[in-house]
Amino acid sequence: MKFDAIIIGGGLSSLVCGIRLQEAGKQCLIVSAGQNALHFSTGTFGLLGRLPDGTAVEEPLLDIPKLPENHPYSKIGIERIKEYAVGVIPFFGKYGIKLCGFNGANGWRFTPMGTFKPAWLALEEIPFFKSPDEVIGHKALIVNYAGFMDFNSVFIAEGLEKKGLSCRIESVKLKVVENLRANPTEMRSINIARVMEQEECWKEFGRTVHSLLKDEDVVVVPEVFGLNNPLVCDWVREMIKANVLFVGTMPPSVAGIRTQKLLKKAFENIGGTFLMGDEALGSSISDGAVTSIKTRNLDGTLLEADDFVLASGHLFAHGLVASTGKIEEPVFGLDVDFVPDRNGWYDKNFFEKQNYLGFGVVTDSRFRAFRNGSLVDNLYVIGSEVGGCNSLNEGSGAGVAIMTALRVADEIIGG
Amino acid sequence: MEKKEVSFNNFEQCIKCTVCTAYCPVVPVNPRFPGPKQAGPDEERLRLKNKMFFDENLKYCLNCKRCEVSCPSGVNIADLIQSARRRYSAATPTLRDTMLANTDVMGRLARPFAPIVNSMVATKPVKAVMDVVLDIDKNRTFPNYKAHGFVGWFNREARSKQAAYSKKVAFFHGCSTEFQHPEVGKAFVEVMNAVGYGVELMNEECCGVAMIANGLWNQASRHAKHNVAVFEKMVGEGLPIVATASTCTFTMRDEYPHVLDIDNSKVRDSITLVEKFLFDLIDAGKVTLVFKKDYAARIAYHIPCHMEKLGWSIFTKRLMQMIPGVSFTVLDSGCCGIAGTYGFKKENYEYSQEIGRPVFEQIRALAPDFVCSECDTCKWQIEMSTGYKVLNPIVILAEALDLPATTAANRR
Ligand SMILES: Cc1cc2nc3c(=O)[nH]c(=O)nc-3n(C[C@H](O)[C@H](O)[C@H](O)COP(=O)(O)OP(=O)(O)OC[C@H]3O[C@@H](n4cnc5c(N)ncnc54)[C@H](O)[C@@H]3O)c2cc1C
Ligand code: SF4
Ligand code: SF4
């Protein structure tokens, strides 16, 4: 089966690249072994929150030129990054994904730990502030579902109290959510969100919270609304009649899952083919170019294309695989950049910079991969799999995914 | 195919991300079902310690495999659930479950009386009795049993003509083609013959999927062993095993080893669906299809759950899109709620209709000429719930093809 381009992986980078290519009339196939990092997203996109030396970044576009030469952003070049950056909000907007930002400057997300973290853009329902000192209100009512452990009212209260708000904590029992408590390990954001999709349920929640409200001007609730329709968040706000903050819970992320669904639907609606639950197993390479790949499900059917894009994620997504002393890319056997001494891979303090997160596939300036030291002409690498940056440390995860995806799509479209 | 299990059905690979739960159709409608993560990898850990951790509510799992398709870690979640039922369930199948599970026996019993049986099960008093005595929901419509089956037709009308073909396939027709929808089998033979392949039937048994669902484990294993032995003989003679039903195909490829522990490794990769078989031949330039000039239809495609799991809907899409005059819309993928015999049971009827609602709503909104689907139980569910006709892709293809011209194009 022949396509213009085949993309391996089904996450943010893959979908952005696939949509861009389909829009330009290229016939694309996406093969994805399962769901992806969007399901664990904070609901915000980072472009650059910190320089590699730890300096905080306020205006990503001003600091990107300071990045080292082999950083993916440096390979793309600041002029292109600026052009792509302006296009991000309209690109997602066209497919029903509303992103909010502060004209390119970093904003601040309120975390489930009660702290503020920088980010570049936020999905519409995520509380996102211009500065951590922005006045939110005076009194806050924090409401959780009884028995829901992935939303910690106490941490949130502590965070808000530091900002000078006085807080009151309440929990609500709704029959439909109580049902979920029978299966404690499944009492997660997504389960509640699926119940809260039903009109009677979000209305009952809205009514209940409204009746608990005394003189508070801020209400904080878990982000479990709008799994399919983000308007539900607005409707809940209207019912409660206060400044309602939908604060992220532990993953899975409701806003992230919705984003994934919308991007996948957009890709398919403009003619793309998406194989969900299938896995690229191996490839044929001749004369320095990939000719076809094989997948687990389509045994016997060769998948051919002019260009191939590897977007299969980092270690967490199995795009890279670690064994003792070695990190490998399993589908093509590409060259990976890592330090040979395993002791240099990680810091024992979980919250410190972890070097292993900076490992990735070696690419040239156009994001083409190398195998045994030689360039593979038509195989590009995008997203978190690309070497040259530690995106968790820099707060550049979604940014690297989107920018490399757009760059490679343009490379393929250009010829 | 490379084996990637590190532990039984990969359960140790679970990273507790709960993504599977986000895609399980039962979770939002039935609070008694623990959900894929808890019922699968979480409880497997406990069950291995002590079987008292087995929860009979696992029976609410549809075995739709949507959890597995979404899992980023390759955990065979539904296989864990089904094999836990096999290993630990103390429930004995009721008369109703046994009747529903034995699709083949029921078909054989009903056949001689088909007109009477069909009109009887369609009447209110009989439905009421079935509802009370058997717990088969009274709102359910039953598929019609046909008085003359597919195999009888094949023996009378088609068998003698098959010797003329040098290339051959072994056709696994399955129960519903034999008892309810012989037109699917006839369409298969017509199309295969037109593209230059002869058809052979085998001494097949029901694939056993309904027995697995209803806890008739020994019987399911007997059927599986029988079929694997029959397939080994055919494959040994160089014939691929080709089927028209996605669930039978999936069951024989993957449930035999994963749930029933029956080794099918010699034949697994030779068991295929007609859509994949035809597409691969066309793609390789070995077969040409010639379509009627005046065929036109607006088709909505419902992808059955097991077709999603197989990952083969791409072949059906490609084939249907080859037909000029067809406008083809793929519905948002979702379970129709029937899951074989699940939706026939009184205790599941409402869940079943609730699970399928988004699919029915999309079909009504599109108002297609008909719906395309590879699964006959999806067909019954969608026809009953929406009033729209559902056709197997091979039936659509047989209708759309200019058969004499296709035959001529492939005669070489
Ligand atoms: C837990 C977590 C939370 C994060 N949160 C944020 C956040 O809030 N904001 C932010 O900006 N960034 C975040 N990131 C960073 C994140 O990596 C990027 O934002 C981005 O989503 C990465 O997208 P991707 O397309 O590169 O890879 P992924 O989203 O990881 O997708 C890789 C895909 O490839 C598939 N795959 C792997 N191997 C194969 C194969 N052989 N065949 C077929 N498919 C295969 C996987 O199943 C997966 O679907 C987070 C990362 C993680 C791990
Ligand atoms: S999706 Fe897979 S890894 Fe995640 S909780 Fe479910 S079984 Fe575990
Ligand atoms: S097989 Fe289907 S019903 Fe069963 S747990 Fe998985 S998703 Fe849920």
Side-chain angles (χ1 to χ4, degrees):
Chain A
M1 204 178 300
K2 179 104 184 14
F3 295 86
D4 293 324
I6 293 179
I7 308 176
I8 298 159
L12 181 61
S13 64
S14 154
L15 284 160
V16 168
C17 187
I19 290 172
R20 179 84 148 202
L21 287 170
Q22 278 299 144
E23 282 176 339
K26 296 268 179 192
Q27 287 304 313
C28 290
L29 172 75
I30 292 180
V31 186
S32 180
Q35 295 294 0
N36 53 77
L38 275 173
H39 284 60
F40 316 113
S41 162
T42 56
T44 58
F45 288 177
L47 181 60
L48 189 65
R50 267 199 281 189
L51 288 172
D53 65 8
T55 325
V57 168
E58 280 174 18
E59 294 259 357
L61 293 178
L62 292 183
D63 283 350
I64 281 174
K66 297 177 191 159
L67 291 168
E69 197 183 1
N70 76 332
H71 193 287
Y73 290 159
S74 306
K75 289 181 182 175
I76 298 170
I78 185 65
E79 290 314 317
R80 272 215 190 85
I81 297 258
K82 280 184 182 161
E83 181 197 320
Y84 291 157
V86 185
V88 169
I89 293 181
F91 179 92
F92 284 86
K94 189 154 73 172
Y95 301 110
I97 301 157
K98 202 169 149 201
L99 287 164
C100 314
F102 299 101
N103 279 325
N106 277 335
W108 296 81
R109 160 179 76 91
F110 186 55
T111 74
M113 305 299 284
T115 56
F116 286 85
K117 284 259 165 77
W120 182 51
L121 296 171
L123 290 164
E124 57 188 300
E125 71 265 43
I126 308 294
F128 197 46
F129 305 99
K130 197 161 183 166
S131 126
D133 306 322
E134 187 175 322
V135 178
I136 303 176
H138 304 286
K139 285 190 166 183
L141 172 67
I142 302 166
V143 187
N144 191 10
Y145 298 92
F148 181 42
M149 315 276 254
D150 288 352
F151 179 82
N152 193 315
S153 306
V154 175
F155 289 167
I156 290 168
E158 282 169 7
L160 291 177
E161 277 160 6
K162 274 192 204 140
K163 281 178 64 73
L165 281 90
S166 63
C167 298
R168 185 162 65 90
I169 296 176
E170 289 278 359
S171 69
V172 294
K173 281 191 179 181
L174 305 188
K175 194 177 163 289
V176 282
V177 179
E178 286 300 294
N179 283 336
L180 300 174
R181 291 182 76 179
N183 304 303
T185 77
E186 296 272 14
M187 178 85 176
R188 307 292 294 272
S189 59
I190 183 68
N191 278 16
I192 304 180
R194 294 186 75 176
V195 172
M196 287 297 135
E197 275 298 277
Q198 296 155 26
E199 188 171 342
E200 322 80 80
C201 300
W202 60 257
K203 280 194 168 158
E204 193 189 348
F205 180 82
R207 264 195 308 274
T208 314
V209 175
H210 181 67
S211 71
L212 289 170
L213 200 63
K214 289 182 185 154
D215 55 349
E216 289 88 357
D217 51 354
V218 177
V219 173
V220 180
V221 298
E223 186 225 313
V224 292
F225 300 90
L227 178 59
N228 293 311
N229 179 6
L231 284 178
V232 171
C233 298
D234 294 340
W235 298 334
V236 172
R237 270 195 191 105
E238 276 165 30
M239 290 190 76
I240 298 179
K241 298 192 178 61
N243 178 13
V244 180
L245 305 183
F246 297 94
V247 171
T249 65
M250 297 290 278
S253 154
V254 174
I257 293 178
R258 187 183 68 237
T259 304
Q260 149 77 27
K261 284 188 187 173
L262 287 169
L263 287 174
K264 174 169 180 274
K265 202 175 162 93
F267 173 72
E268 291 181 316
N269 281 348
I270 54 177
T273 306
F274 197 109
L275 296 180
M276 183 48 113
D278 201 356
E279 183 185 0
L281 291 180
S283 62
S284 304
I285 300 184
S286 71
D287 291 335
V290 182
T291 51
S292 66
I293 60 160
K294 272 196 167 170
T295 71
R296 183 172 296 280
N297 286 341
L298 303 194
D299 45 30
T301 308
L302 279 188
L303 297 169
E304 299 168 304
D306 297 329
D307 292 289
F308 292 81
V309 181
L310 185 64
S312 53
H314 208 260
L315 289 159
F316 188 74
H318 310 291
L320 299 174
V321 178
S323 54
T324 336
K326 213 164 54 200
I327 294 199
E328 289 169 302
E329 183 285 303
V331 180
F332 299 94
L334 300 178
D335 297 350
V336 179
D337 184 21
F338 64 96
V339 291
D341 176 14
R342 202 180 160 105
N343 291 318
W345 289 13
Y346 49 85
D347 189 301
K348 291 220 170 87
N349 181 345
F350 182 76
F351 295 100
E352 284 301 314
K353 177 175 174 178
Q354 299 293 342
N355 285 337
Y356 74 85
L357 288 170
F359 301 161
V361 174
V362 183
T363 64
D364 74 352
S365 61
R366 289 151 67 190
F367 298 100
R368 290 178 301 175
F370 292 87
R371 197 163 165 268
N372 305 322
S374 16
L375 188 70
V376 188
D377 200 42
N378 63 345
L379 174 59
Y380 301 87
V381 188
I382 59 175
S384 51
E385 196 158 15
V386 178
C389 69
N390 187 327
S391 63
L392 182 68
N393 190 56
E394 295 170 4
S396 62
V400 168
I402 295 168
M403 296 295 164
T404 53
L406 293 174
R407 175 71 193 96
V408 164
D410 282 351
E411 181 77 29
I412 292 173
I413 295 163
Chain B
M1 190 98 315
E2 161 214 357
K3 249 196 136 88
K4 73 171 202 175
E5 277 88 341
V6 290
S7 60
F8 180 64
N9 279 322
N10 272 0
F11 85 90
E12 281 166 345
Q13 292 288 305
C14 173
I15 52 165
K16 313 295 167 203
C17 66
T18 329
V19 162
C20 47
T21 299
Y23 296 90
C24 172
V26 182
V27 163
V29 301
N30 183 353
R32 268 176 290 210
F33 181 59
K37 173 169 149 291
Q38 179 161 327
D42 285 1
E43 287 180 354
E44 183 69 10
R45 217 168 265 282
L46 302 173
R47 289 190 291 255
L48 288 177
K49 289 218 183 289
N50 189 329
K51 67 176 184 196
M52 75 168 214
F53 286 107
F54 176 77
D55 176 356
E56 291 289 351
N57 286 325
L58 265 49
K59 70 173 180 220
Y60 292 113
C61 167
L62 300 161
N63 202 21
C64 70
K65 309 282 178 190
R66 289 185 183 269
C67 47
E68 294 183 4
V69 172
S70 70
C71 173
S73 311
V75 180
N76 296 335
I77 308 157
D79 292 347
L80 282 167
I81 296 174
Q82 297 311 321
S83 71
R85 289 181 53 232
R86 177 169 73 81
R87 284 173 295 148
Y88 306 118
S89 175
T92 40
T94 60
L95 171 63
R96 185 259 337 246
D97 293 354
T98 310
M99 282 174 64
L100 286 175
N102 281 281
T103 44
D104 50 348
V105 177
M106 289 304 288
R108 252 169 247 142
L109 285 177
R111 168 166 300 148
F113 316 104
I116 313 170
V117 174
N118 292 335
S119 50
M120 263 176 60
V121 294
T123 62
K124 277 217 171 108
V126 173
K127 284 191 170 187
V129 171
M130 292 203 301
D131 189 282
V132 175
V133 179
L134 290 172
D135 281 339
I136 291 176
D137 198 278
K138 62 176 179 299
N139 293 309
R140 195 47 69 199
T141 47
F142 267 80
N144 272 355
Y145 288 109
K146 292 280 163 30
H148 302 288
F150 163 71
V151 177
W153 171 84
F154 182 84
N155 288 339
R156 273 194 321 277
E157 311 273 337
R159 186 181 290 281
S160 59
K161 298 179 195 146
Q162 305 306 313
Y165 300 89
S166 58
K167 293 174 287 187
K168 281 204 171 85
V169 298
F171 178 37
F172 183 91
H173 54 73
C175 300
S176 63
T177 294
E178 173 58 9
F179 298 112
Q180 283 105 0
H181 306 295
E183 70 277 9
V184 174
K186 290 179 198 168
F188 177 86
V189 176
E190 278 173 4
V191 174
M192 290 320 285
N193 286 175
V195 299
Y197 280 78
V199 175
E200 269 194 32
L201 301 189
M202 300 165 279
N203 172 25
E204 68 177 58
E205 290 278 11
C206 164
C207 71
V209 69
M211 296 162 188
I212 294 175
N214 288 287
L216 299 159
W217 306 107
N218 292 336
Q219 211 181 340
S221 300
R222 268 203 309 280
H223 281 222
K225 281 183 194 147
H226 172 91
N227 283 337
V228 170
V230 171
F231 296 168
E232 281 176 356
K233 186 167 159 285
M234 284 296 173
V235 172
E237 291 169 17
L239 271 67
I241 315 296
V242 185
T244 47
S246 44
T247 289
C248 306
T249 307
F250 166 71
T251 302
M252 299 186 299
R253 283 169 60 96
D254 293 338
E255 300 281 89
Y256 283 3
H258 292 170
V259 176
L260 297 175
D261 243 335
I262 284 172
D263 179 10
N264 67 352
S265 53
K266 290 205 193 91
V267 294
R268 180 197 182 263
D269 292 352
S270 304
I271 305 171
T272 190
L273 262 181
V274 63
E275 289 77 20
K276 180 176 191 317
F277 184 76
L278 280 176
F279 180 85
D280 283 342
L281 287 173
I282 297 165
D283 202 34
K286 292 181 184 156
V287 151
T288 313
L289 301 184
V290 185
F291 293 97
K292 287 178 186 151
K293 299 235 157 35
D294 56 350
Y295 185 85
R298 287 173 48 251
I299 307 177
Y301 178 34
H302 164 71
I303 306 174
C305 297
H306 293 153
M307 198 67 182
E308 278 291 356
K309 173 65 183 167
L310 282 167
W312 290 358
S313 64
I314 186 173
F315 299 115
T316 301
K317 289 177 202 160
R318 287 285 168 117
L319 281 178
M320 293 293 114
Q321 283 161 349
M322 284 174 197
I323 310 175
V326 158
S327 108
F328 189 71
T329 311
V330 182
L331 302 173
D332 286 351
S333 180
C335 178
C336 73
I338 186 84
T341 58
Y342 185 97
F344 278 87
K345 301 176 183 177
K346 195 173 168 184
E347 69 270 25
N348 294 339
Y349 180 79
E350 275 175 26
Y351 300 138
S352 166
Q353 296 313 101
E354 187 53 29
I355 290 169
R357 197 167 44 88
V359 172
F360 311 148
E361 282 171 0
Q362 283 181 74
I363 294 173
R364 287 194 201 102
L366 268 171
D369 293 334
F370 51 82
V371 177
C372 163
S373 189
E374 297 86 349
C375 172
D376 284 324
T377 51
C378 296
K379 171 184 165 79
W380 303 338
Q381 168 80 336
I382 292 171
E383 290 185 343
M384 180 197 91
S385 309
T386 66
Y388 284 91
K389 186 125 200 80
V390 181
L391 300 178
N392 187 295
I394 195 70
V395 174
I396 301 173
L397 214 53
E399 184 57 36
L401 280 175
D402 181 336
L403 289 168
T406 303
T407 309
N410 293 286
R411 199 180 287 130
R412 29 184 166 167

